[in-house]
Amino acid sequence: MKSSTRISFIAGFVVFLSLVSGVSFAAWSASSTQTATASAGAVALTTATASGASTISALGPHTYTASNQSLTKAITVRNTGTVEATVSTIAITRSGTLGGDQIAVKFWVGTNSSCAATTPVVSATLAGGTVSLSTLKMKLASTGSAILCTSTTFTGSLVSQAGKTTTATFAINSSAGTNWNATDVVAEAGRSFTQSIFQTKAPNAPTGTMCVNERSDYTVTVSWNAPAGFTTPNGGYNVYYDGSLIGNSTTTTASITGNATWADITIRAVASDGTMSVDSADIPVRPRGYEYRSGYYGIACN
């Protein structure tokens, strides 16, 4: 009887241990497997092609010649690890004279390098910061790749931003699970690009200025020759009266009215982006005549 009781007690004890061990092992197994793959360096990411060519740097150098002009490029994102990963964020840094808020940027998943527009789209600017790409649900199988289409658009004023430049750097990140992440291993130079705003070379000053008195005592007509190389389209010619802008002419003549004044009229050629030439030669004007009782009157070429 004593021997039988002892055996029954031991058997129950063994069953209890097996049950507890089974639950513990299952929890440990899930955690252990994830930790082992991540710690073995299986989460890895690159935006270079298989041949090592950078794809982010294709966004520059680029020069915008008009407002709301866009550039679209395909960024290849490759998972060089051994577990599935999800593209999670992109960190943007920049430097230069052109503010990052002047360049809008959009990201979407492409089916091929032509990057036809699709949804969803993540919108941001080059102003800097970390942008979440989670809504794109961009999953990369082990050793697989995908296309992250990227579009940049200059949204500012061509006149006020002319000649300014910015250099931006992207750092794309991927994640596996909740605790393991990988950042693009491409060197910074291969993840950077430069974009700038077109600046027209200032046109030459108008030449051959002339002045003709009109029949009215209060009107003269001034004319000039277009400067060499001043082609259309352009911004015409600004007309100045003693240094103050009084109008713009799309031709090479302008009628000036005035009364009892001495002044110099000058002309500036204006390029299509607002860039102006220096002043033309002065065109001096003076009063047309003098009356004893009322004094000087009218305007005349000097």
Side-chain angles (χ1 to χ4, degrees):
M1 178 65 70
K2 291 183 179 180
S3 176
S4 174
T5 301
R6 176 181 176 82
I7 292 172
S8 176
F9 178 77
I10 293 174
F13 183 67
V14 171
V15 171
F16 174 77
L17 285 179
S18 296
L19 290 172
V20 173
S21 177
V23 173
S24 176
F25 178 80
W28 175 86
S29 176
S31 175
S32 174
T33 302
Q34 192 172 41
T35 304
T37 54
S39 64
V43 181
L45 175 75
T46 180
T47 54
T49 63
S51 61
S54 167
T55 57
I56 292 177
S57 59
L59 287 164
H62 179 74
T63 300
Y64 295 99
T65 57
S67 294
N68 297 315
Q69 191 177 69
S70 298
L71 172 70
T72 300
K73 294 293 181 180
I75 297 176
T76 299
V77 184
R78 294 195 302 125
N79 179 2
T80 54
T82 57
V83 294
E84 181 182 82
T86 301
V87 175
S88 53
T89 63
I90 181 167
I92 303 173
T93 56
R94 58 154 297 279
S95 62
T97 55
L98 178 65
D101 58 349
Q102 300 292 311
I103 305 290
V105 59
K106 294 181 178 180
F107 304 99
W108 67 95
V109 178
T111 56
N112 54 54
S113 59
S114 64
C115 279
T118 186
T119 56
V121 174
V122 173
S123 299
T125 70
L126 293 186
T130 299
V131 179
S132 173
L133 301 178
S134 60
T135 58
L136 300 183
K137 295 180 171 32
M138 191 174 183
K139 291 186 178 296
L140 304 174
S142 171
T143 69
S145 65
I147 294 174
L148 179 65
C149 294
T150 304
S151 171
T152 58
T153 303
F154 171 57
T155 60
S157 164
L158 192 66
V159 174
S160 62
Q161 303 301 321
K164 294 183 179 181
T165 299
T166 188
T167 297
T169 301
F170 287 171
I172 297 176
N173 299 279
S174 66
S175 61
T178 58
N179 298 317
W180 296 277
N181 303 283
T183 302
D184 190 357
V185 296
V186 173
E188 183 174 319
R191 295 183 285 106
S192 301
F193 57 92
T194 298
Q195 296 187 342
S196 58
I197 310 304
F198 178 72
Q199 182 174 33
T200 303
K201 180 182 178 182
N204 294 318
T207 59
T209 53
M210 296 181 65
C211 181
V212 176
N213 291 331
E214 297 298 334
R215 180 171 296 183
S216 167
D217 288 341
Y218 301 94
T219 304
V220 297
T221 296
V222 296
S223 62
W224 57 90
N225 296 327
F230 193 56
T231 58
T232 55
N234 57 57
Y237 301 89
N238 283 349
V239 182
Y240 295 84
Y241 191 90
D242 254 5
S244 297
L245 178 66
I246 58 172
N248 177 272
S249 174
T250 57
T251 67
T252 55
T253 62
S255 292
I256 309 295
T257 58
N259 185 36
T261 185
W262 284 262
D264 287 323
I265 298 170
T266 53
I267 315 297
R268 295 180 186 176
V270 184
S272 58
D273 69 346
T275 304
M276 293 188 294
S277 71
V278 297
D279 287 335
S280 67
D282 291 343
I283 306 172
V285 293
R286 56 174 176 76
R288 182 75 63 102
Y290 179 82
E291 291 183 347
Y292 175 73
R293 291 184 179 181
S294 57
Y296 292 103
Y297 68 90
I299 185 173
C301 304
N302 197 3

